[in-house]
Each structure stands twice: as C-alpha cells, then as structure tokens.
Amino acid sequence: MTRVATPQAIEESVAEVLDRMFFAESVPDVAVDCGKPDSISMSVEFRGAALGRITVTVSAESAQRLAADFLGIEEAASADGDTVTAVIGELTNMVCGAVLSRKSSGPFTLGTPPRNGCGEGEKGICRSFDLGDGGLRVCLEYSGSGEAEE
Amino acid sequence: MRLSFLIVDDSPAMRSFIRRVLNLSGIEVSECYQAGDGVEALSVLEREWVDLILTDINMPGMNGEEFVRRLEAHELWKTIPVIVVSTDSTETRIRSMQLLGARGYVKKPFTPEDIRAEIERVIAASVEKGAI
C-alpha cells in the first residue's frame, strides 16, 4: 500500500473523482470564494484505521453543474436544490473514500454527510481547486489514531 | 445477452448514476431494479429474479456485508453474482467482501469502462460455472 502525504492525497483524489464521475477537471491552489451564502458545504466523518472528518465546500454555480453532469441532465439549472445537495453528498463521500484509500490499507466506515454552513468544518489540512465556473475546497481533519500526520 | 440488474445503494443519486453508466457502457439491460439498503433488496428478490447485483457497503438499515451474508445463506440467491461498488477500496475490505461471497469489486470513483469490464468478467465466470 502506497502511503502519500495528505495534501497530495487530496489533490489526487479530487482529480480522480471529478474526472471519472463528473467528467470535469480542476486546477489546484486557487482559493474558493466561500463568502456566498448559497455555496454548499458538507462533511463526512470517518472511522476505522483513522478517525476524523472531511469537509467539501463547492460554490453554487459549480455545484449545480456538477450535479447536472453526474446525473446526465442537459440543463444545469433544472437540477433542483435537493438533487444538487444529494450529489455533493456523493462527491464528499467519494473524495473521502479516495483520500482514505490512499492513506491507509485498513477498512473504514463513512457517515452520512450533513450539510454545513459555508466555512463551517473547514479545519485541518485544506486544498482549494478552480473548476472554471467556481471553486471547490476540501479539508481533512483527523481526530484520533496513529494516522494523524502532516 | 440481455441482463437484469439490482442496484443497492442508499443514495438515489448514486443509483441513478450507476443506471446511467450501465447504459453508457453498452451493456444490454432488460430490467434494472433499485433498493436503498439490504432489506429493500431482499424484498425485491422475493418478487423478481435478477442476473446480477451491484451493491454498496455503507448503508443504513442492512449494510452490504449483511446483505451478501444473507444472499449466501439462501439456496437460490447465492447463485446470483454480486459486485460490490464502494468508496472503500482498501485491500482488507475487498478481501473481506470476497470471503463473504462477493464475486466482483468496483471502487468509486469508476468509469463506464470499469463497470463494464467487471460485469463482463463476473458474468463470464458465472456462465462458465453454469450459474447463468
């Protein structure tokens, strides 16, 4: 099992999830504008070889388009709020799973991601990405076990 | 060969995505049933026969591990090939699901090609065994 540093694991995981499931590309190291109240932020707690939480925040425009791309909806605007939230929940879960699979060989369990206020839960090691029409930010915070590093 | 599927995942969005990916992959789908957890999935199987099951692991209610365990304990259902579709791609998890009876494993995120390749591999093995 190749263990990689957390920032690299986040960057690789975001690129992999967006490319394979959302047919989208990202550019790392661009700050996401989280000041808008309609940005969507979700966190998922993980337990297993490590304990902690991953938070994903997506700007409203990008969230709408990602949901449409994920579900094959031609008009991004026609994806309703609940659908967009559900898809960003899946994005959060997949990014979390992809990061943990790069960090540990032990199995893990994920909770159901609740929706946060924007900026809430953004603790630990964070990386931001430019999606062209908005931004995405991922933060990983360990809360226990020997996996906590960097 | 036209195949009937049962997709088991607690996320309706993910079930829709998998259904879409099956279409994109070029696999001929006759029926595609859906369930939100293992309990719902067993209920579908009481009424319908499927050729292949795609299941998540982490689900509220009956999770994927218990669901596969129940299938293996059933005289008829244990012949249905199960492919796990999960975010957890750690070696320990893959091995434990295979020991329970899963015949394939696709990690999320996946492409249509990933799904197709694993379905073809599992179906070929099942045809060889005479299970399909």
Side-chain angles (χ1 to χ4, degrees):
Chain A
M1 185 75 195
T2 304
R3 291 170 58 85
V4 299
T6 298
Q8 182 186 346
I10 292 173
E11 290 181 9
E12 289 178 359
S13 298
V14 168
E16 181 185 42
V17 170
L18 290 179
D19 176 56
R20 289 176 162 246
M21 307 287 277
F22 295 86
F23 317 105
E25 293 181 347
S26 63
V27 179
D29 293 329
V30 177
V32 57
D33 178 10
C34 199
K36 296 180 181 176
D38 52 358
S39 294
I40 294 178
S41 180
M42 302 183 84
S43 296
V44 59
E45 293 186 348
F46 53 88
R47 24 182 217 287
L51 298 174
R53 179 165 73 162
I54 281 184
T55 300
V56 171
T57 303
V58 190
S59 62
E61 296 83 357
S62 294
Q64 194 83 30
R65 179 180 53 80
L66 289 172
D69 289 346
F70 186 79
L71 296 171
I73 299 170
E74 285 191 16
E75 286 294 325
S78 62
D80 64 44
D82 288 344
T83 300
V84 173
T85 301
V87 170
I88 299 307
E90 283 305 316
L91 170 67
T92 305
N93 258 324
M94 285 188 283
V95 168
C96 185
V99 170
L100 295 179
S101 294
R102 284 171 167 79
K103 297 290 294 174
S104 167
S105 60
F108 53 83
T109 304
L110 304 181
T112 303
R115 187 165 175 176
N116 306 321
C118 192
E120 187 183 329
E122 292 196 344
K123 296 174 184 169
I125 299 163
C126 297
R127 280 289 180 273
S128 297
F129 303 85
D130 182 5
L131 302 181
D133 53 3
L136 180 150
R137 185 168 168 82
V138 177
C139 293
L140 184 152
E141 180 189 21
Y142 286 110
S143 57
S145 100
E147 296 286 334
E149 56 182 317
E150 290 104 28
Chain B
M1 181 189 293
R2 289 170 67 81
L3 299 171
S4 56
F5 290 85
L6 170 58
I7 300 170
V8 191
D9 197 302
D10 57 316
S11 163
M14 182 54 73
R15 295 199 302 266
S16 295
F17 181 80
I18 293 173
R19 180 73 179 86
R20 181 172 161 239
V21 162
L22 287 177
N23 287 339
L24 289 172
S25 72
I27 290 170
E28 291 188 66
V29 180
S30 59
E31 298 288 345
C32 192
Y33 304 99
Q34 299 187 19
D37 72 351
V39 174
E40 277 187 30
L42 293 175
S43 174
V44 170
L45 292 174
E46 294 281 0
R47 304 187 309 269
E48 311 287 348
W49 181 257
V50 299
D51 296 311
L52 197 140
I53 296 170
L54 300 166
T55 184
D56 190 13
I57 298 174
N58 287 315
M59 295 180 284
M62 186 189 292
N63 66 23
E65 283 187 3
E66 182 58 24
F67 174 53
V68 174
R69 205 173 278 126
R70 298 283 185 100
L71 293 176
E72 283 297 304
H74 192 281
E75 191 178 353
L76 286 178
W77 295 342
K78 69 181 178 186
T79 64
I80 305 173
V82 176
I83 296 176
V84 174
V85 183
S86 174
T87 52
D88 187 345
S89 60
T90 55
E91 293 164 21
T92 312
R93 179 71 81 185
I94 293 172
R95 201 162 46 244
S96 73
M97 292 306 293
Q98 287 171 337
L99 286 172
L100 285 175
R103 299 189 206 169
Y105 209 105
V106 175
K107 72 160 188 158
K108 299 174 188 171
F110 53 82
T111 63
E113 292 76 23
D114 295 334
I115 282 272
R116 183 187 177 106
E118 191 65 351
I119 288 173
E120 286 180 346
R121 188 189 68 75
V122 168
I123 290 294
S126 298
V127 167
E128 202 169 287
K129 280 185 178 178
I132 291 182

